[in-house]
Amino acid sequence: MRAIVLFIAAAVAATSAGLIARGLSRVGVHQGYAPEQPIAFSHKLHAGDSKVPCLYCHSSARTSRHAGIPSVNVCMNCHSMLTKQTVDIERLKEAVQRRQAIVWTKVHNLPDFVYFNHSQHIGANVACRSCHGAVETMERVRQEAPLTMGWCLDCHRTRGAELQRSRQMAWAHADPKAPLPGTDCGKCHY
Amino acid sequence: MNAELRFWKSVDELRRDADDGAAAGRDCFAGQRARTGPPPAVSRRDFLTLAGFGLAAAAAACSRGSVQKAIPMLNQPEQMTPGVASYYATTCGGCSAGCALLVKTRDGRPIKVEGNAESAVFGGGTCASGQATVLSLYDDARLKGPLWRGQPAAWAEIDAHVSSRIAAAAAARKRVVLLSRTILGPATRRLVREWSSRPGFEHVTRDAISYSALRDATRASFGVDGIPHYRFAGASVIVGIEADFLGAWLSPVEFTREYAGRRRPESGALMSRHVHFESGLSLTGSNADLRVPIAPSEQGLVALALLHRIARRHGGFEVPEVDESSLDAEALDEAAEDLWRARGESLVVAGAHDEATQTIVHATNALLGNIGRTVDLDNVSLQKQGDDAAFDRLVEDMAERRVDVLILYGVNPAYDAPDADRFAAAMARVPLTVSLADRLDETAARADIVCPDHHFLEAWGDAEPIARHCSLAQPTIAPLFDTRAAQESLLAWQGRTPDFYEYLRAYWREALFPAQDRYDSFDEFWDHSLHDGVFARSPRPSNEHRFEGDCARAAASVLRARAQRAAAGIGYELHLYEPVGVRDGAHANNPWLQELPDPVSKVTWGNYAALAPALASRLALADGDVVAIEAGAQRVELPVLVQPGQSAQTISVALGYGRTRAGRVADGVGANAYPLAQSSGGGRRYIRTGVRLARTGRRDPLAATQTHHSMEGREIVKQTTLASFLESPAGGADAHADLPNLWAERPRGEHNWGMAIDLTACTGCSACVTACQAENNVPVVGRDEVRRGREMHWIRLDRYYTGSEDAPETLVQPMMCQHCGHAPCEPVCPVLATVHSSDGLNQQVYNRCVGTRYCENNCPYKVRRFNWFEYARNDRFDFNMNSPLGEMVLNPDVTVRSRGVMEKCSLCVQRIQAGKLEASREGRPVADGDIQTACQQVCPAEAIVFGDLADPSSRVSRLSRQQRRYRVLEEVGTRPNVTYLAKVRNA
């Protein structure tokens, strides 16, 4: 009898410990986050059907750490000429008329103590969809990847490793046993 | 290397060591540490219980962070990419030296100031004050708009009123006076000339710290209007007489660059020799090969004694005999001998505010053949144009109600005039006073109307600090507040279009474009000049300048003053000086500069009365005892600082403190010493005799950063003489190379970042300290925390004394994280927050750090700084990080650390990453010189070199192999990546 009670108690304890651990490790992980935006911009329509390249709108990803959200003048490059009217295009034009910037909700958020540089990854030919998923199929942008440090390191240790080795050998003749700069703590935390 | 030199950091240490060795283990903070407060109300056990429940609750409830917004621009200009910096060339307005700058802006706002390497005069360095000007842009004390009798008013209203009053005054032939600081810009000078060309209009220039005597002497001696342009690069022998040319005198960035350029021991006999005669121990004096303490009243006498010796060798020049009994004849003989041997390549400079002394120095330089060589009278310095006599006449006129309208531009006489009350009273008698000040300062508070000027980073302008060297100033941000360029105010009140940009272009088109032949169209010329920032016209050719001053009269004046002093007998002498940092007081509200340790005394947050150790001991005064200094009818109370090397009967006091209306950072810090500069005959004097000193019984402990660590008998700074160095260059290098190695060698990575610091070039100017603070978001902690030793500077300049306490030799060493190969801090971190990177850096990962502080304990260099409090957004530390405006200066590429986290020099890892990224984007390896740390970039002396030690051909590798090399505390086995090059002085 006592054994059964003990067993049940132990099982409950173990389960709750497991749940707490899972909860704790999920703190700050927002996979699946798909907030509502002030303008219901559809990537499926623009990037998917119309095949607008990612870097056309998110051009700063090429040169800056921020990929950013395009400023309204980028939208108006096309929409000043297109005649289609929807509620959202109306909101866009209103923003121009009222000279008010649009307040988007950021979907992919890294904590302040992480430094992530888009241009570095674009320069290494990492495709946008590797981290952001198939955005061209999304009506509303959704965070596909967990964006945890472990997830970043998985790629750095495999694909990143290949790229770094080739560069190290070409330019600096570093020792093959040396750790990869891409996995240094200070690469992203400074 | 001289191992027998005994180094000591403070007088206490010197005396303690003299008593016995038992003091070695004494707490270095005895007497300075404050109590930390009452014991906490919650006990440890309760705390842990609450923490445990709290964590569980948080884990259960919390699954989502706060919602973040992203707001792109509405219409983004092509040139601006969020996250990418833009650089604009401009000219510094921090003081009137007018150094050329390159300002880094992010997201439309300036965050860092660098020197403009295109400038042949100033090069790529700046001074600490210049570095801090980026923060003064974001000063909450700045006025947000114009004021009329203390109330906000509209520009149109004010302009209508002022224009009509000025027009009325002009019609009635009444006086309209513009009182301004030195105006460096030729376009603005023309505007002011046009302004004052009308009858009754006048322009008076006033510098807060006067150089009038030097101007008058130059005019009388050579018929040249201006201050000579001193060329230290051409000087093999320099004799300074109380001139802090490396610190705050005239043009310190330029002088440091040229001076340090000649202090290269590897050039052998070409290394310059510097003898300095002064009363207080200044930054410049601390660098001299030979420093001779003199009384301030002996400045003229020293100059005369030197002239006498030079004249004797030159022949044909009569100089009266002087009573040299109080002077060091041997030092004078030596100095004269050196000067004569290097004639034509020598330089004598004096900081005396005395026309007679300056005339004698001009004569000396003339006899030495230095005119046209190290003393350029053809392309003069325009950096100080103040006219004391004109200002005194103006105050007289104001008091007599002979001035109808007074416009104040860049001046604050109600604070810095010796008789500020008299000025304020006279100002009250002017019917209309208009101030163009940027804040409601001591003078603006008494003005009827305040029309705040832009900060120089928001404004158009130009500068000609040295004749024929022009530079432009352009806005790096749209004006933050409803301010207006001073020039536009003047244009508006003349009834002209208030568009200074057009005026500036018109001036450059008419006056400067024709003076060059490189560009065919003005627009091309303008665009290139704006891009480069500087435009150097061909200099005026050297003309013959004969010395025509009245040496006999000057000598008589000097001897007369000396006789008067001797007759007065009793009392001390007072020496007033301009400090590095807050300077003349304009920067008092800048927290970075208030917390910048004085290069010599290492005291922050306030001024003090520096006394010689013998004097202090005789009067039984210690550091922090408050004394009252009385000179004539003026009295100032200050805490004492026992200063080794201070001249025996002299008290040195810094100006620039004791402000009352500069802002919440400055007000009440230190005491205003300007009243002590009063002169009964008008004008100003920075030397007083017959000064009395009285104990007040109060104490005000100094907030000094110097009493941290004793040297414990280790050779932390190595010094040698030039002779020894040339004889056996590799004196102490690799003394500990055979230490056993406990750790396995790390596999060699792609890079190995390191640094080489030349102690002979480093003057101790502390620009690197402020540059690092600006670049890395280092917080300001305030006076109380500095007293507890908690200042946060990542780089510090350790200052050591050697020799006797009355005439010590001073050594300075920049100290930052040494990025040790075998770092003692790394193995002791329980959470691996500090680890070694693959490229040689000791990394600090802020988010892992839990604040055990074991690493700080283990660091032999004590370079780790702990965040004892939340310094950002905390009312207790109400500095730039506690205001939305002040936060704009933060560097977005560097984390702002929170409480409980350790931080230290990262070798500007954000710049390293940016450099590597740039290279990788261009498909090439990182080139030497691509990456410069903030401290390296700012150093006017180029004493710090950063680079890749894995590349044997890089500059840092070559310097690290030089014979003067050594590493600090290498006997401990830390294998630092920072190499120092020993200090070499002439014997």
Side-chain angles (χ1 to χ4, degrees):
Chain A
M1 186 61 198
R2 201 195 298 166
I4 298 171
V5 171
L6 267 161
F7 176 74
I8 292 171
V12 168
T15 315
S16 27
L19 285 169
I20 288 174
R22 204 174 79 125
L24 283 175
S25 70
R26 284 270 192 271
V27 171
V29 179
H30 306 138
Q31 196 169 16
Y33 182 45
E36 205 179 311
Q37 298 291 348
I39 294 177
F41 176 83
S42 165
H43 276 88
K44 181 164 184 301
L45 178 62
H46 292 76
D49 303 338
S50 308
K51 298 204 192 325
V52 179
C54 310
L55 288 176
Y56 175 81
C57 297
H58 299 279
S59 54
S60 52
R62 229 191 301 260
T63 49
S64 160
R65 54 185 283 205
H66 306 295
I69 295 174
S71 50
V72 179
N73 59 326
V74 173
C75 309
M76 297 314 285
N77 279 344
C78 294
H79 283 280
S80 55
M81 296 181 288
L82 299 172
T83 52
K84 173 119 188 238
Q85 268 296 81
T86 64
V87 166
D88 297 297
I89 295 175
E90 189 58 48
R91 287 206 190 107
L92 183 69
K93 297 198 170 150
E94 247 175 54
V96 177
Q97 270 151 17
R98 282 208 233 118
R99 300 190 63 75
Q100 258 176 357
I102 302 168
V103 181
W104 301 94
T105 304
K106 252 186 105 177
V107 180
H108 301 87
N109 288 316
L110 288 175
D112 284 347
F113 50 77
V114 177
Y115 176 88
F116 175 77
N117 191 317
H118 271 95
S119 66
Q120 220 157 15
H121 291 74
I122 308 282
N125 291 323
V126 176
C128 307
R129 73 167 61 87
S130 316
C131 309
H132 293 288
V135 178
E136 71 276 8
T137 61
M138 299 177 191
E139 283 287 348
R140 195 200 272 188
V141 174
R142 187 176 59 249
Q143 181 181 321
E144 281 290 303
L147 298 184
T148 53
M149 177 169 146
W151 173 82
C152 294
L153 280 178
D154 283 340
C155 190
H156 271 255
R157 286 187 172 126
T158 52
R159 277 189 60 183
E162 289 161 26
L163 175 66
Q164 295 229 269
R165 285 273 172 261
S166 61
R167 222 178 60 192
Q168 282 183 337
M169 286 301 116
W171 294 341
H173 309 290
D175 188 330
K177 288 196 299 298
L180 291 170
T183 53
D184 284 335
C185 302
K187 186 85 179 152
C188 311
H189 296 293
Y190 59 80
Chain B
M1 309 288 168
N2 291 343
E4 65 275 4
L5 283 173
R6 191 167 55 92
F7 293 81
W8 39 279
K9 282 200 73 177
S10 63
V11 179
D12 282 342
E13 185 189 322
L14 174 65
R15 290 182 176 160
R16 219 168 47 216
D17 292 351
D19 295 336
D20 61 314
R26 190 186 299 171
D27 178 8
C28 304
F29 278 104
Q32 189 172 306
R33 184 177 301 173
R35 294 275 125 245
T36 49
V42 181
S43 75
R44 275 211 184 114
R45 180 171 282 179
D46 295 335
F47 174 76
L48 284 172
T49 315
L50 288 167
F53 277 126
L55 177 62
C62 154
S63 58
R64 185 144 287 182
S66 56
V67 175
Q68 302 250 19
K69 297 292 182 189
I71 312 174
M73 293 178 87
L74 194 65
N75 203 349
Q76 186 167 302
E78 219 177 282
Q79 302 89 348
M80 197 174 113
T81 307
V84 174
S86 307
Y87 292 83
Y88 296 95
T90 186
T91 307
C92 189
C95 76
S96 56
C99 302
L101 298 182
L102 200 59
V103 178
K104 173 181 179 187
T105 65
R106 274 286 287 269
D107 297 329
R109 66 187 191 282
I111 57 168
K112 184 76 169 62
V113 156
E114 307 292 353
N116 185 350
E118 293 287 321
S119 169
V121 174
F122 301 105
T126 57
C127 68
S129 316
Q131 281 295 309
T133 52
V134 71
L135 181 56
S136 65
L137 169 66
Y138 304 116
D139 191 347
D140 285 308
R142 286 179 65 197
L143 285 172
K144 314 284 190 289
L147 298 175
W148 192 344
R149 286 194 223 291
Q151 297 304 314
W155 284 107
E157 254 181 82
I158 288 176
D159 286 344
H161 180 78
V162 176
S163 309
S164 70
R165 287 295 301 275
I166 288 179
R173 302 282 200 210
K174 296 251 191 75
R175 300 248 325 263
V176 176
V177 180
L178 170 65
L179 175 64
S180 82
R181 61 165 179 244
T182 293
I183 294 176
L184 278 180
T188 311
R189 276 209 308 272
R190 175 159 89 169
L191 174 57
V192 169
R193 263 200 313 274
E194 289 168 1
W195 164 276
S196 42
S197 61
R198 288 173 288 171
F201 284 66
E202 201 186 323
H203 170 227
V204 175
T205 307
R206 179 181 189 281
D207 295 312
I209 290 179
S210 176
Y211 286 70
S212 244
L214 181 51
R215 288 177 61 87
D216 293 339
T218 310
R219 197 180 304 117
S221 304
F222 300 106
V224 167
D225 199 9
I227 290 175
H229 181 205
Y230 294 111
R231 313 301 310 271
F232 284 84
S236 335
V237 176
I238 300 158
V239 173
I241 306 173
E242 200 96 69
D244 191 14
F245 56 84
L246 299 176
W249 191 73
L250 202 55
S251 187
V253 172
E254 180 199 352
F255 294 161
T256 302
R257 180 171 179 240
E258 297 205 340
Y259 176 89
R262 289 301 301 260
R263 302 290 287 179
R264 304 284 178 201
E266 280 73 26
S267 63
L270 288 176
M271 178 165 148
S272 68
R273 186 173 162 68
H274 174 199
V275 180
H276 210 77
F277 297 87
E278 62 176 7
S279 51
L281 182 54
S282 72
L283 173 61
T284 309
S286 68
N287 277 284
D289 293 310
L290 174 64
R291 178 191 173 263
V292 183
I294 59 169
S297 62
E298 286 172 344
Q299 287 174 28
L301 206 62
V302 167
L304 202 50
L306 213 54
L307 176 61
H308 190 260
R309 285 164 170 77
I310 302 290
R312 215 183 23 230
R313 283 174 174 79
H314 185 274
F317 194 86
E318 275 304 310
V319 178
E321 289 278 343
V322 288
D323 174 14
E324 293 186 5
S325 50
S326 63
L327 301 178
D328 184 344
E330 207 183 303
L332 283 163
D333 286 337
E334 220 183 288
E337 183 61 45
D338 291 332
L339 282 170
W340 185 252
R341 229 178 315 118
R343 56 192 181 282
E345 280 177 19
S346 54
L347 184 55
V348 182
V349 284
H353 185 63
D354 171 41
E355 194 183 330
T357 309
Q358 295 289 1
T359 305
I360 294 167
V361 169
H362 280 329
T364 314
N365 278 318
L367 287 179
L368 286 167
N370 294 335
I371 310 296
R373 313 272 300 266
T374 55
V375 180
D376 188 346
L377 291 170
D378 300 293
N379 304 285
V380 291
S381 154
L382 301 163
Q383 291 154 320
K384 297 281 180 189
Q385 297 160 24
D387 184 345
D388 279 3
F391 176 73
D392 289 336
R393 277 197 305 273
L394 172 65
V395 179
E396 184 77 35
D397 288 343
M398 282 163 61
E400 299 292 316
R401 297 186 196 277
R402 286 197 284 263
V403 176
D404 203 50
V405 180
L406 177 68
I407 300 173
L408 301 135
Y409 171 31
V411 287
N412 192 3
Y415 161 66
D416 56 40
D419 196 348
D421 289 335
R422 179 160 174 263
F423 181 82
M427 202 174 143
R429 292 178 157 208
V430 178
L432 177 64
T433 49
V434 182
S435 167
L436 303 177
D438 67 340
R439 67 195 64 211
L440 212 54
D441 61 29
E442 291 86 344
T443 309
R446 293 182 156 84
D448 299 311
I449 294 176
V450 187
C451 295
D453 186 15
H454 291 326
H455 186 275
F456 77 87
L457 288 171
E458 299 169 328
W460 284 103
D462 56 358
E464 193 180 4
I466 307 293
R468 298 300 185 98
H469 264 98
C470 300
S471 57
L472 278 167
Q474 59 176 316
T476 56
I477 185 172
L480 289 169
F481 306 119
D482 187 17
T483 54
R484 183 171 69 182
Q487 298 92 336
E488 290 184 350
S489 293
L490 292 177
L491 283 167
W493 300 332
Q494 286 180 329
R496 298 160 74 172
T497 323
D499 186 348
F500 185 62
Y501 173 62
E502 281 310 322
Y503 188 97
L504 181 64
R505 274 176 64 96
Y507 176 84
W508 277 61
R509 187 186 291 117
E510 287 155 33
L512 295 176
F513 173 58
Q516 58 84 47
D517 50 18
R518 194 159 158 208
Y519 302 104
D520 294 325
S521 83
F522 170 69
D523 282 324
E524 235 188 301
F525 167 65
W526 175 259
D527 286 344
H528 276 95
S529 301
L530 209 51
H531 169 270
D532 295 343
V534 292
F535 167 55
R537 294 173 64 179
S538 38
R540 287 195 190 93
S542 262
N543 279 325
E544 178 83 38
H545 290 276
R546 284 188 53 236
F547 175 77
E548 267 148 26
D550 191 343
C551 245
R553 206 178 74 183
S557 165
V558 166
L559 292 169
R560 202 170 37 242
R562 188 65 189 149
Q564 276 172 355
R565 155 88 188 88
I570 49 136
Y572 303 105
E573 297 197 23
L574 177 67
H575 157 238
L576 298 169
Y577 66 94
E578 183 179 6
V580 171
V582 302
R583 298 295 202 96
D584 57 13
H587 299 298
N589 204 42
N590 192 315
W592 288 348
L593 294 175
Q594 286 284 7
E595 194 148 291
L596 181 71
D598 180 85
V600 174
S601 68
K602 300 302 170 196
V603 175
T604 65
W605 291 100
N607 53 351
Y608 41 83
L611 298 182
L615 178 60
S617 135
R618 204 169 64 238
L619 299 175
L621 289 169
D623 281 349
D625 288 335
V626 178
V627 290
I629 300 167
E630 289 168 20
Q634 294 82 41
R635 179 196 155 97
V636 171
E637 292 189 2
L638 284 165
V640 162
L641 168 78
V642 180
Q643 174 64 57
Q646 180 78 21
S647 164
Q649 298 284 100
T650 310
I651 307 162
S652 286
V653 176
L655 299 162
Y657 288 94
R659 292 205 57 178
T660 52
R661 299 193 80 116
R664 66 178 189 273
V665 172
D667 292 349
V669 173
N672 186 0
Y674 277 109
L676 297 172
Q678 276 194 46
S679 180
S680 53
R684 298 173 257 189
R685 49 182 169 167
Y686 300 108
I687 298 170
R688 298 290 293 268
T689 55
V691 172
R692 293 179 300 287
L693 197 63
R695 207 190 307 266
T696 62
R698 287 201 330 269
R699 273 195 60 80
D700 184 13
L702 300 170
T705 60
Q706 78 158 20
T707 56
H708 280 183
H709 324 279
S710 80
M711 194 112 48
E712 307 284 344
R714 286 167 162 169
E715 215 184 344
I716 292 174
V717 179
K718 289 198 187 194
Q719 181 181 229
T720 186
T721 61
L722 183 62
S724 313
F725 170 70
L726 291 174
E727 198 183 292
S728 63
D734 297 337
H736 305 279
D738 54 353
L739 276 175
N741 195 354
L742 292 176
W743 304 92
E745 282 301 333
R746 280 201 182 83
R748 185 184 165 301
E750 198 176 334
H751 300 287
N752 186 14
W753 305 112
M755 223 175 220
I757 299 179
D758 188 349
L759 295 177
T760 310
C762 173
T763 61
C765 71
S766 311
C768 51
V769 177
T770 313
C772 173
Q773 189 157 29
E775 172 75 20
N776 293 296
N777 303 335
V778 176
V780 170
V781 301
R783 186 200 273 141
D784 290 337
E785 289 297 293
V786 173
R787 285 194 185 118
R788 293 189 182 101
R790 292 173 176 176
E791 70 282 354
M792 296 300 285
H793 296 127
W794 287 6
I795 182 172
R796 64 172 191 265
L797 290 157
D798 287 336
R799 178 266 304 118
Y800 303 107
Y801 296 120
T802 159
S804 77
E805 65 184 19
D806 299 312
E809 216 170 39
T810 315
L811 291 154
V812 170
Q813 180 178 56
M815 178 54 65
M816 74 293 274
C817 174
Q818 303 284 290
H819 294 275
C820 307
H822 295 168
C825 57
E826 286 168 12
V828 297
C829 177
V831 294
L832 285 180
T834 179
V835 289
H836 218 75
S837 80
S838 62
D839 48 8
L841 296 176
N842 172 269
Q843 302 167 331
Q844 181 67 36
V845 185
Y846 306 122
N847 44 304
R848 275 189 88 92
C849 178
V850 289
T852 16
R853 293 171 17 238
Y854 198 156
C855 57
E856 178 190 47
N857 195 54
N858 246 28
C859 175
Y861 307 98
K862 291 291 173 273
V863 287
R864 288 175 153 273
R865 319 307 310 172
F866 185 67
N867 283 275
W868 290 95
F869 297 95
E870 188 74 34
Y871 294 119
R873 298 187 178 172
N874 182 347
D875 287 337
R876 184 173 164 175
F877 299 97
D878 194 16
F879 307 112
N880 60 302
M881 286 191 186
N882 193 35
S883 107
L885 182 62
E887 280 178 0
M888 285 169 76
V889 83
L890 294 174
N891 183 351
D893 287 333
V894 177
T895 308
V896 175
R897 284 76 60 188
S898 77
R899 184 188 58 215
V901 158
M902 193 63 73
E903 62 184 57
K904 64 173 184 71
C905 164
S906 59
L907 282 185
C908 282
V909 63
Q910 68 278 7
R911 291 182 173 214
I912 295 174
Q913 300 285 33
K916 282 165 67 176
L917 174 58
E918 192 60 38
S920 127
R921 206 185 278 136
E922 291 172 13
R924 58 166 178 84
V926 179
D928 188 32
D930 268 355
I931 302 169
Q932 285 192 52
T933 54
C935 50
Q936 172 188 14
Q937 193 168 11
V938 79
C939 181
E942 293 185 40
I944 299 178
V945 177
F946 167 85
D948 191 357
L949 291 169
D951 172 9
S953 64
S954 70
R955 234 178 111 202
V956 70
S957 296
R958 282 184 276 120
L959 285 170
S960 304
R961 291 194 295 268
Q962 263 195 22
Q963 289 157 330
R964 280 189 289 146
R965 71 182 179 279
Y966 77 99
R967 291 172 183 85
V968 178
L969 297 179
E970 50 190 339
E971 64 271 22
V972 170
T974 47
R975 308 257 175 128
N977 268 20
V978 176
T979 306
Y980 287 86
L981 299 178
K983 172 106 185 172
V984 176
R985 273 199 159 103
N986 286 290

